[in-house]
Amino acid sequence: MSAHCQLTGAKPGFGNHISHSHRRTSRRFDPNVQRKRYWLPSEGRYVRLRLSTKGIRTVDSIGIEAAVARIRTQGGKV
């Protein structure tokens, strides 16, 4: 699943394109997911995470150690 945030769990939303003639076709609303590398001091290594921009702000506020712990409790692999 490419457009998926490991921390917040943000996934694509689905909806419709609506043309000028009001015909509807399917579309996806993808979250703004970035690959970001963080230094994890407790393990002495870098970790690469796929985070939405909201997830990046969450890591900035709670710290990388707490964020990795939260990802692991949700069953994610780091």
Side-chain angles (χ1 to χ4, degrees):
M1 190 177 303
S2 60
H4 180 264
C5 177
Q6 289 179 294
L7 184 60
T8 62
K11 296 177 185 173
F14 295 90
N16 291 311
H17 285 290
I18 301 182
S19 69
H20 179 70
S21 64
H22 220 65
R23 290 184 62 121
R24 292 175 167 92
T25 55
S26 187
R27 66 160 292 178
R28 269 170 62 137
F29 294 94
D30 285 329
N32 187 4
V33 175
Q34 312 288 327
R35 282 182 64 97
K36 190 130 171 73
R37 193 174 83 143
Y38 290 99
W39 175 251
L40 194 58
S42 64
E43 297 181 14
R45 67 182 182 106
Y46 285 99
V47 292
R48 191 175 296 271
L49 301 174
R50 290 186 58 86
L51 300 171
S52 63
T53 50
K54 182 179 178 180
I56 291 171
R57 290 196 306 270
T58 303
V59 170
D60 290 342
S61 65
I62 67 172
I64 185 63
E65 298 287 344
V68 166
R70 191 179 291 183
I71 291 169
R72 285 181 174 151
T73 58
Q74 294 171 355
K77 183 182 173 199
V78 177

